[in-house]
Amino acid sequence: MDKIIMHIDFNSFFASVEQQANPHLRGKAIAVAGKAGGDLRRSVVTTASREAKARGVKTAMATWEAKKICPELIIVPGDPQKYAMITERLLNVCRKYADNVEQFSTDEVFIDVTLAADNYFGASMLALMIRRDLKATCGSVCTASIGVAPNKLVAKLASESVKPNGLTVVRPHEVEAFVRTRPLADFCGIGRQTEKRLAELGVTSVDTLRTVPRARLIELFKSYGEWLHDASFGQATDVLKDDTLPAKSIGHSYTFPHDLQTLPEVKKNLLAMADKVAWRLRQQKMVAKRITAYVRYGDFGGDGSARLLNVPVSDGLTISQNAWQLLAPQLELERGVRLLGVSVSELQNVALPTSLFRKEQRMQQVVTALDSVQTKFGADAWRRASTLQTSFRERTSGWHYDHLAMANQT
DNA sequence: TCTGGGGTCCTAGGACCC
DNA sequence: TCTGGGGTCCTAGGACCC
């Protein structure tokens, strides 16, 4: 039986949430970039409000560039907790109406409404109800575009085809014709590289893609070629993912206000990031067997490295020590360290075996105690003394932030 | 005064074993 | 002692998404 899949996409999500929270920002060109306390000079726009988009401000644009084309742009630091709260509301609304819900990102969900809607007319009614419900629970500034189709690929194309506040329903017999009208770059799965490669083959539209024999696409793109061929006809075997499954990797990376020049700075920052990773790991009651550390230099070249451990770990010190050992031998300090990243994967949902050694027992007790402090008082409740100087510098160098904080209050 | 931060998935190629 | 081939595991790297 054919499925009925709905894709719901908040419009300008982070920016809308900020405008909802602060009436003074409504109707204005705003951009969410960076985070509170961070240095915005080296940030890019995460989300632009509708008004900012109209002035040409785009996602991933450097903030200084955005400011140049739109001088009145108000830059607001990101507030992940606020967005997570609204995402949770979105999910709760969806769960009321759907058989199955997949959170695709902070501001997008796929829901399977095959049974709940029964048919496409029912699905349209359901979409309108969901939209009304979202408005009531998330605020009137937060609008969503909705697409309904037989699969995820087309549902997402549909929701993207009308913004903001659109509702686009593509019934099975309309799929082929609808897909034909969409630009290749709009397909979730065709990125810049693929678009370029296709263009080199003379393929610049769905129509031209359809003329390339399936076998030829497979020859050129392997299994991805099969997907491309099917996608050009709006066919996909995509199924909703079970989003109750735990994450497969947890990581943090950070671009420094100024490139780091010394080993102690690198080491200290790795530890601070490893602590953040470890904290999230323990929150999810997981341990990691693989540790990855990566660096990006001032000239934008980078290098990463991974390590598989014998014993799963979940404490920041061990993670940072491994990250350091991975990175140190290949570090080229003279290039200036622009970004550092620490990530863990091969996660397991098992409890750490209780250590027999007293020293390690003590360490576990300390970690447990610190976790309870953090649970109670938040992520910044404690810091290792060795990372304190960095945190002080982070706070005091944020002149943009002071400026913005005032902009926020007015 | 360039280019964030959070992820997922796939493939190529080397090492190792039989 | 030399040689070949297949399978599997591991890692690096790249493409994609928001």
Side-chain angles (χ1 to χ4, degrees), chain A residues 22-227:
Chain A
N22 183 349
H24 294 103
L25 296 175
R26 292 180 199 171
K28 292 189 181 144
I30 76 163
V32 176
K35 57 177 182 186
D39 188 312
L40 296 180
R41 278 166 290 189
R42 299 175 101 174
S43 301
V44 298
V45 172
T46 306
T47 317
S49 71
R50 198 180 311 171
E51 300 81 2
K53 280 177 184 164
R55 304 287 315 269
V57 177
K58 290 195 171 90
T59 298
M61 188 178 266
T63 46
W64 64 266
E65 200 184 345
K67 201 85 179 166
K68 203 165 92 182
I69 62 166
C70 178
E72 73 274 27
L73 184 72
I74 302 170
I75 296 181
V76 183
D79 182 352
Q81 283 190 322
K82 207 189 284 169
Y83 314 140
M85 195 176 75
I86 306 297
T87 302
E88 202 46 49
R89 291 184 196 177
L90 165 67
L91 291 172
N92 285 335
V93 167
C94 290
R95 288 183 190 120
K96 285 203 289 192
Y97 299 96
D99 313 332
N100 200 356
V101 177
E102 175 193 338
Q103 181 181 352
F104 186 66
S105 70
T106 36
D107 63 336
E108 286 177 46
V109 288
F110 286 104
I111 63 180
D112 186 336
V113 294
T114 312
L115 295 175
D118 192 42
N119 54 43
Y120 277 81
F121 176 76
S124 309
M125 295 300 106
L126 212 54
L128 294 175
M129 283 165 72
I130 289 173
R131 202 149 66 181
R132 199 173 51 201
D133 208 339
L134 282 178
K135 209 158 241 188
T137 50
C138 303
S140 59
V141 180
C142 298
T143 60
S145 284
I146 301 182
V148 183
N151 60 47
K152 286 165 69 177
L153 177 79
V154 181
K156 189 156 158 59
L157 278 173
S159 74
E160 266 167 18
S161 67
V162 183
K163 283 180 174 180
N165 218 15
L167 170 57
T168 307
V169 180
V170 184
R171 291 163 182 80
H173 67 276
E174 300 164 329
V175 165
E176 270 204 39
F178 171 76
V179 166
R180 239 186 115 202
T181 66
R182 311 314 307 158
L184 287 177
D186 280 14
F187 283 67
C188 185
I190 300 182
R192 282 175 51 182
Q193 291 303 318
T194 306
E195 203 190 352
K196 205 175 132 202
R197 274 188 74 190
L198 285 172
E200 284 163 9
L201 298 163
V203 174
T204 53
S205 69
V206 170
D207 263 340
T208 46
L209 180 56
R210 283 179 183 177
T211 65
V212 183
R214 186 188 173 90
R216 176 74 179 138
L217 284 173
I218 293 171
E219 191 187 320
L220 289 163
F221 294 94
K222 305 279 160 64
S223 62
Y224 181 57
E226 248 173 293
W227 181 90

Side-chain angles (χ1 to χ4, degrees), chain A residues 142-338:
Chain A
C142 298
T143 60
S145 284
I146 301 182
V148 183
N151 60 47
K152 286 165 69 177
L153 177 79
V154 181
K156 189 156 158 59
L157 278 173
S159 74
E160 266 167 18
S161 67
V162 183
K163 283 180 174 180
N165 218 15
L167 170 57
T168 307
V169 180
V170 184
R171 291 163 182 80
H173 67 276
E174 300 164 329
V175 165
E176 270 204 39
F178 171 76
V179 166
R180 239 186 115 202
T181 66
R182 311 314 307 158
L184 287 177
D186 280 14
F187 283 67
C188 185
I190 300 182
R192 282 175 51 182
Q193 291 303 318
T194 306
E195 203 190 352
K196 205 175 132 202
R197 274 188 74 190
L198 285 172
E200 284 163 9
L201 298 163
V203 174
T204 53
S205 69
V206 170
D207 263 340
T208 46
L209 180 56
R210 283 179 183 177
T211 65
V212 183
R214 186 188 173 90
R216 176 74 179 138
L217 284 173
I218 293 171
E219 191 187 320
L220 289 163
F221 294 94
K222 305 279 160 64
S223 62
Y224 181 57
E226 248 173 293
W227 181 90
L228 278 174
H229 179 264
D230 293 348
S232 74
F233 292 94
Q235 290 164 5
T237 52
D238 46 20
V239 285
L240 263 69
K241 270 184 214 130
D242 179 2
D243 59 11
T244 58
L245 292 174
K248 296 191 169 167
S249 71
I250 294 175
H252 275 294
S253 63
Y254 182 66
T255 297
F256 302 101
H258 304 285
D259 295 350
L260 305 185
Q261 308 282 357
T262 68
L263 288 178
E265 282 180 302
V266 172
K267 206 168 181 174
K268 192 167 62 187
N269 281 289
L270 278 181
L271 178 56
M273 271 184 290
D275 273 333
K276 284 188 175 184
V277 169
W279 156 247
R280 286 175 57 205
L281 202 51
R282 293 195 299 272
Q283 259 187 326
Q284 297 180 36
K285 305 232 185 306
M286 296 213 271
V287 288
K289 282 189 80 174
R290 179 188 297 272
I291 293 170
T292 309
Y294 46 100
V295 59
R296 176 179 292 161
Y297 295 108
D299 57 23
F300 245 70
D303 212 345
S305 202
R307 164 175 303 188
L308 203 58
L309 303 168
N310 291 322
V311 187
V313 297
S314 67
D315 76 279
L317 194 58
T318 311
I319 292 171
S320 86
Q321 281 166 349
N322 278 278
W324 173 250
Q325 281 169 31
L326 288 167
L327 230 44
Q330 62 188 35
L331 208 54
E332 297 169 50
L333 269 185
E334 64 282 0
R335 293 168 73 185
V337 174
R338 179 187 175 91

